[in-house]
Amino acid sequence: MADLRNVVEALIRRPVFWRADPPLPTVLVTGPEALAAAELLAKPFEDAVPYAHVKEGEHKSIQALVEALAGEQGELGKPVGGSLLPPPRFPLAQFVLWARKQRHLPPPGNKSEDWLPAPGTHTGYRMFKERLKDWQRSSRDSDRGRRTSADFLARAATTWVPVGTLAVWWFNGPADLVGLAPWVLGLLVAALGTTGQAFFSIRGTLFTGWLRNQPYIRRDPFEGPAKYALRLANAKGADDDADVKRDDTDVERLLVHALMRDLREAYKKWIIPWPSWGRGLYALLLIEVVDPDGVNARFLRLVEETTRTTGLLPPMVVLAAVSSVPPGPPIGSAELGRLPEVVGRWRAAARFRVPDLRIGIRATDVPAVGEYPPVLPRRKRALAYWTAIGLLLVLPFALVFWVQRDRAAHCGGLQWAERSGTECVGIVNAAGATPDDLFDGAVKDLVKKIDANNGYAIGSGRYVSVVLFGEFSITKTEANDIRLSAAVSELEAVEEQQRTASTTPRLQVLIANAGDNFRHGRRTAQLITELAARDPHVMGVIGLPRSVEGVSQAIEELHLAKIPMVATTATADRIGYVGDSADGKRPGQPSPYYFQVGPTNFREATLGARFARRMLLADVDKPSAVIVQDESITDQYTKNLADDFETALKAQGIAVKEPKDYNVESGGIQEAAVAACGLKPDVFLYAGRASEFLGFLTSIEGSGCKDAKVLAGDDVVRAMADHAGEIAHMKQMEVYYVALAHRAVWNQSATKQTAFISDLLAGAHPKSSDDNLILTFDAANVLYQAASTAYRAGAQEGGGLPSRGDILYRLTRRVWNGSSGKIDFGSADLHAPVDKAFAIMKVDVARAGNPKPVVRCGSLDATEPPPKDAVCAGLPDTADSQPK
């Protein structure tokens, strides 16, 4: 017998979540021991599932039977202890029951014995409507109603709290809202959604739309609940009129169908989180049928009939003890012991079609049963449901909180910027002002000024955009790391260029942060490319100030996108080359989209070697030199400059001793300086970075190298802005360096000064790095002037914004008089400037550390004749342009 009850357990066990609910049978048990057998099969499940036992003659009508099953105190709606889930709820059935009960209730105030108004009349309708409201209100205000309300509030919250938290993210994106506003709006979405869904669920109005679609006494469109309930109350039923057939009234059909619909809602797999997800066992109904014309028999017939008519399969197993099998399709009359076999055949048929819901079994006796303890509620599915609910509540909130914190701490939700570690890389002001928490100090202040200027430019409606590519989130690891002063100087230059460019078109400056040491150069260039593809205002990129790997990678990406680039202080000979040569050992070809306003390393190394031999070491018969260089593999500048120094020194007849290397990442500058001093050269050539220059000079000073002569490359100009006075007071050496651009060179020329240079000579930007300041101003001006000329030409022809091809054409066809001197990109493939002005500066203690020009080569103006100094005669622009 234990196997027979296992069959029942298999029937009421719900399949796994992702499988559809199967049809469930009505097991008709006949024979002399039918009731005892049915009770025996049902007994273990009484406390494990929604369960009801309906005895013969217990109810006088279908209405009373449905009331017993699904009314406010109905058996199927009682809580199942230990199930961890709320019981099924029957709002549809209870609404129909309430309407039907009104015809039998005493009239209010005994004013009229026939108080129930007729449908379509106003007499007594208001009283009926108030009674409906009182019933709904009392249902909510009772203890059970309050528990139901709390339950539905919790159910709604599992949907709307995640939606509200996601709304925080959404509002903080497209709406560009900051601070508490996204959280307020997210909480509002969650509160309104939870309240609205809970309200409609508690009142049942989420389901009453079903009353318009069912086939029995259908609710009319736009018919209010009270009017529909009044029509139900007036409908004739089997107990109201002897002429009405007892088994053929739509009222009874509606009652039974509403009961089954409510039960189906309790097991429906909603898209939103709902307890139906966690129900692991179907409902079980035990019903006794003795009189084939009685209420219980009619109830079973109505269940079958409404199922056939509507296709709604009730999620309930019915065990019916019947005196005889009702008419219908042949289902056999197997003995009770063959129940597993019969159920197996029935389930096999159910896989192919909706089967007849009846299974016939005959019980001639009740066999002895073994130990079969009560079945406990299945909790695994319920626990999985609550786990999912917990994740839905916690994970979206945690995710949104983390994303919000991440956005606020780094990028603030910027479309064209990405977080990498503690840095925000990419374009930080493409869609609006830069978030306040991205940068600090002077960088932050200058970016704010640029953003304010951008507002004026965009507001004019006629503007072009230039991207400043630099490193603005510098991690300063030591006191002598003066890259920050270079970045500040670049921002000062573009801000002044932007502010003073007051003609049409106006200038928008987009700040592209490539990260500390340009390590995110490639990704930043990709983001620029994506923006430029969508925004036709973007004319080109300026900056790219250092000859390091990240900048080279950025040039490659921008080259592929055909975006014009004007570099500032990058000077490596082949920094603008892309691709590989045929032998794969050298850079391939110069990018036609790359321009630089500063001279090449080869040009400055050649001047440095000539200056060393002809001026510093003119009286030395066999001069010697030592080159100190940074061997960092990612730094193209230092290795290239050291090689150019060696080539140029040897060409001047200076013996080059063994070079001394150090690595900026692992240190070693002190050891390299001491070793170089031990070689006793006539001149030291420094081909390193600015951050180690002061340490190098200090080590030379302390090593006993008397009357040392030091000539450094252009990068150290950044150290001069912060340490010129300290360097000038060193007793054991003379310090010279190459300056790509310096305000002081204009004092030695009668050439007309630009307005920017005039301001500098009058004391503007006294703490800035002149190389970065002046060359960045020129780069911005050159690109803006090319874009402005193309813009005005297009306006005259009735066109729109110029193309980047127009910009490229104008960059190669014009000579500018810049603040760094003449700017002529010439006709060579590598767009290095022709006859670019630059100087060798000396640190002078008499000038309070302010350097003075010793030699200046190149023209400050297109009309200025070449300098008469023989050191400058025939000075090559690039390695390829030197005489063979």
Side-chain angles (χ1 to χ4, degrees):
M1 192 64 192
D3 290 338
L4 300 182
R5 289 188 295 194
N6 283 338
V7 173
V8 177
E9 184 176 5
L11 285 173
I12 66 173
R13 184 184 304 124
R14 201 175 183 193
V16 291
F17 177 79
W18 53 87
R19 295 185 58 185
D21 290 307
L24 298 174
T26 297
V27 180
L28 302 176
V29 186
T30 60
E33 299 295 337
L35 180 59
E39 289 177 339
L40 184 69
L41 293 174
K43 182 66 176 177
F45 309 103
E46 292 179 356
D47 298 322
V49 299
Y51 172 80
H53 183 181
V54 181
K55 299 178 180 178
E56 177 67 32
E58 188 175 12
H59 307 291
K60 300 303 181 182
S61 66
I62 292 295
Q63 179 177 319
L65 194 155
V66 172
E67 176 83 19
L69 294 177
E72 293 183 8
Q73 302 298 323
E75 293 293 319
L76 292 177
K78 289 183 178 179
V80 178
S83 67
L84 305 179
L85 295 169
R89 184 170 171 266
F90 299 90
L92 294 173
Q94 290 173 12
F95 176 80
V96 178
L97 287 168
W98 179 87
R100 293 301 297 169
K101 285 191 292 185
Q102 300 313 299
R103 60 191 300 109
H104 301 298
L105 293 177
N110 294 320
K111 293 181 179 181
S112 171
E113 291 301 325
D114 188 18
W115 80 276
L116 191 66
T121 67
H122 293 287
T123 305
Y125 171 69
R126 186 176 298 277
M127 189 179 300
F128 183 86
K129 186 175 181 180
E130 287 300 321
R131 181 173 281 198
L132 175 61
K133 290 182 178 179
D134 290 341
W135 171 67
Q136 292 174 330
R137 192 179 301 114
S138 64
S139 298
R140 294 194 300 272
D141 292 342
S142 65
D143 288 342
R144 184 171 183 177
R146 283 189 288 271
R147 289 195 298 271
T148 300
S149 299
D151 173 41
F152 276 94
L153 277 170
R155 296 189 196 188
T158 58
T159 297
W160 290 100
V161 168
V163 171
T165 53
L166 292 176
V168 174
W169 173 83
W170 189 89
F171 285 129
N172 200 38
D176 196 28
L177 300 173
V178 295
L180 292 176
W183 289 101
V184 172
L185 292 172
L187 289 173
L188 188 63
V189 168
L192 292 177
T194 299
T195 304
Q197 183 185 322
F199 176 78
F200 290 122
S201 297
I202 294 166
R203 293 195 57 177
T205 48
L206 279 179
F207 309 122
T208 52
W210 165 85
L211 293 167
R212 297 191 182 96
N213 302 317
Q214 50 81 30
Y216 314 112
I217 314 181
R218 185 173 296 171
R219 181 180 173 185
D220 295 333
F222 307 109
E223 185 177 27
K227 287 187 176 181
Y228 178 66
L230 181 58
R231 194 150 57 85
L232 288 179
N234 280 277
K236 293 295 185 180
D239 296 330
D240 302 312
D241 192 333
D243 294 333
V244 179
K245 295 181 180 180
R246 294 176 58 85
D247 60 349
D248 194 29
T249 62
D250 280 347
V251 171
E252 281 74 13
R253 293 188 183 94
L254 176 59
L255 276 168
V256 172
H257 188 39
L259 165 64
M260 296 306 161
R261 178 69 186 192
D262 282 330
L263 196 59
R264 170 52 62 189
E265 292 296 334
Y267 285 86
K268 182 179 179 180
K269 295 174 182 175
W270 292 78
I271 296 177
I272 62 176
W274 212 248
S276 56
W277 293 10
R279 300 191 192 280
L281 296 173
Y282 295 111
L284 178 63
L285 174 64
L286 174 61
I287 185 169
E288 179 185 2
V289 180
V290 176
D291 182 3
D293 294 322
V295 172
N296 291 7
R298 190 161 78 253
F299 176 79
L300 288 182
R301 287 195 296 272
L302 289 173
V303 171
E304 293 183 5
E305 179 186 340
T306 58
T307 299
R308 286 194 300 269
T309 301
T310 65
L312 179 69
L313 297 172
M316 178 172 66
V317 174
V318 179
L319 294 176
V322 299
S323 57
S324 62
V325 176
I331 56 176
S333 56
E335 293 296 324
L336 184 63
R338 297 181 60 190
L339 179 61
E341 177 185 344
V342 174
V343 171
R345 290 201 305 269
W346 183 89
R347 299 187 83 164
R351 295 189 184 98
F352 301 102
R353 60 182 177 86
V354 177
D356 188 280
L357 296 180
R358 297 176 297 174
I359 294 177
I361 291 296
R362 181 173 177 79
T364 55
D365 56 13
V366 180
V369 298
E371 183 69 21
Y372 196 97
V375 175
L376 298 176
R378 296 174 64 86
R379 297 183 181 181
K380 289 183 179 180
R381 186 164 176 151
L383 288 172
Y385 162 74
W386 287 115
T387 300
I389 292 300
L391 293 176
L392 282 172
L393 291 174
V394 174
L395 286 185
F397 182 82
L399 176 62
V400 170
F401 179 80
W402 181 85
V403 170
Q404 183 74 0
R405 181 182 177 186
D406 180 76
R407 288 154 63 103
H410 299 285
C411 292
L414 301 179
Q415 183 178 4
W416 306 105
E418 297 177 351
R419 183 185 70 84
S420 179
T422 58
E423 295 182 297
C424 182
V425 297
I427 308 166
V428 298
N429 61 345
T434 307
D436 285 341
D437 55 354
L438 294 191
F439 306 118
D440 299 314
V443 171
K444 178 177 181 178
D445 295 339
L446 286 164
V447 169
K448 277 190 173 183
K449 291 181 180 180
I450 290 171
D451 287 339
N453 295 338
N454 285 344
Y456 299 132
I458 296 172
S460 72
R462 298 181 295 274
Y463 67 96
V464 292
S465 303
V466 169
V467 181
L468 175 63
F469 187 103
E471 53 177 344
F472 304 110
S473 54
I474 296 167
T475 302
K476 192 172 182 179
T477 58
E478 57 183 53
N480 293 329
D481 187 352
I482 44 72
R483 291 175 298 157
L484 182 61
S485 66
V488 169
S489 299
E490 293 160 11
L491 291 170
E492 288 176 333
V494 294
E495 191 279 327
E496 182 150 342
Q497 169 61 40
Q498 179 189 34
R499 177 166 34 84
T500 56
S502 56
T503 59
T504 300
R506 302 294 293 273
L507 177 61
Q508 179 190 26
V509 176
L510 302 177
I511 307 298
N513 179 36
D516 184 47
N517 205 34
F518 292 95
R519 61 178 147 216
H520 301 291
R522 185 182 297 280
R523 182 55 186 152
T524 302
Q526 290 170 349
L527 291 168
I528 294 172
T529 297
E530 293 172 12
L531 173 62
R534 295 180 56 177
D535 186 356
H537 291 90
V538 177
M539 298 291 105
V541 177
I542 64 170
L544 305 160
R546 293 207 290 135
S547 304
V548 294
E549 183 177 8
V551 171
S552 291
Q553 293 172 348
I555 292 171
E556 292 174 2
E557 295 293 333
L558 297 171
H559 163 82
L560 294 174
K562 300 181 179 180
I563 296 176
M565 301 163 269
V566 182
T568 56
T569 56
T571 57
D573 294 334
R574 297 184 181 271
I575 186 66
Y577 280 61
V578 293
D580 293 323
S581 60
D583 59 12
K585 296 180 180 179
R586 295 173 290 106
Q589 298 296 322
S591 169
Y593 309 104
Y594 176 84
F595 301 79
Q596 66 184 66
V597 292
T600 62
N601 276 354
F602 191 84
R603 181 171 170 83
E604 67 174 270
T606 303
L607 175 60
R610 290 183 182 183
F611 171 74
R613 183 66 186 98
R614 301 178 190 183
M615 301 182 70
L616 293 182
L617 308 177
D619 298 331
V620 179
D621 291 336
K622 296 181 179 179
S624 63
V626 168
I627 301 172
V628 177
Q629 66 184 69
D630 176 13
E631 280 290 305
S632 299
I633 59 174
T634 60
D635 198 325
Q636 300 178 28
Y637 166 81
T638 55
K639 180 70 167 92
N640 177 234
L641 181 60
D643 290 345
D644 286 345
F645 268 144
E646 183 176 1
T647 300
L649 288 169
K650 290 180 178 178
Q652 294 297 317
I654 300 175
V656 180
K657 298 189 176 183
E658 179 185 359
K660 297 303 175 184
D661 304 333
Y662 74 96
N663 190 304
V664 67
E665 297 176 356
S666 57
I669 186 62
Q670 182 177 3
E671 291 81 358
V674 172
C677 186
L679 295 177
K680 301 186 182 304
D682 297 300
V683 64
F684 296 86
L685 279 300
Y686 182 77
R689 287 293 183 179
S691 54
E692 290 77 45
F693 187 52
L694 183 62
F696 168 74
L697 295 179
T698 302
S699 298
I700 293 291
E701 178 87 353
S703 299
C705 288
K706 296 182 179 180
D707 300 325
K709 294 177 177 60
V710 176
L711 175 61
D714 65 273
D715 193 73
V716 304
V717 71
R718 300 164 190 173
M720 296 300 114
D722 292 341
H723 305 291
E726 185 178 351
I727 294 172
H729 285 83
M730 291 183 176
K731 306 297 185 182
Q732 303 293 331
M733 66 188 72
E734 296 177 15
V735 179
Y736 302 85
Y737 67 94
V738 177
L740 304 181
H742 201 284
R743 70 186 77 190
V745 301
W746 290 84
N747 289 324
Q748 300 179 350
S749 173
T751 302
K752 182 179 179 181
Q753 300 169 355
T754 65
F756 185 60
I757 287 297
S758 296
D759 290 342
L760 295 183
L761 293 175
H765 307 294
K767 299 295 184 182
S768 297
S769 168
D770 274 8
D771 278 10
N772 298 91
L773 183 73
I774 297 173
L775 292 178
T776 302
F777 185 89
D778 273 359
N781 186 50
V782 165
L783 190 56
Y784 170 70
Q785 291 298 330
S788 181
T789 303
Y791 184 96
R792 288 192 291 271
Q796 292 175 358
E797 298 172 2
L801 289 165
S803 69
R804 286 183 279 274
D806 293 335
I807 309 302
L808 187 68
Y809 174 82
R810 295 178 192 281
L811 286 174
T812 58
R813 293 296 189 273
R814 181 175 170 183
V815 177
W816 286 269
N817 291 322
S819 297
S820 61
K822 180 181 68 175
I823 302 174
D824 178 5
F825 295 117
S827 58
D829 292 336
L830 177 62
H831 295 139
V834 176
D835 192 32
K836 181 63 184 179
F838 70 119
I840 292 180
M841 312 292 291
K842 179 181 181 182
V843 180
D844 193 349
V845 67
R847 294 165 53 87
N850 292 321
K852 65 178 182 180
V854 178
V855 176
R856 189 259 297 181
C857 296
S859 301
L860 292 178
D861 187 278
T863 61
E864 183 185 41
K868 298 179 180 180
D869 198 320
V871 175
C872 300
L875 194 66
D877 296 314
T878 66
D880 297 331
S881 63
Q882 66 174 326
K884 300 297 183 181

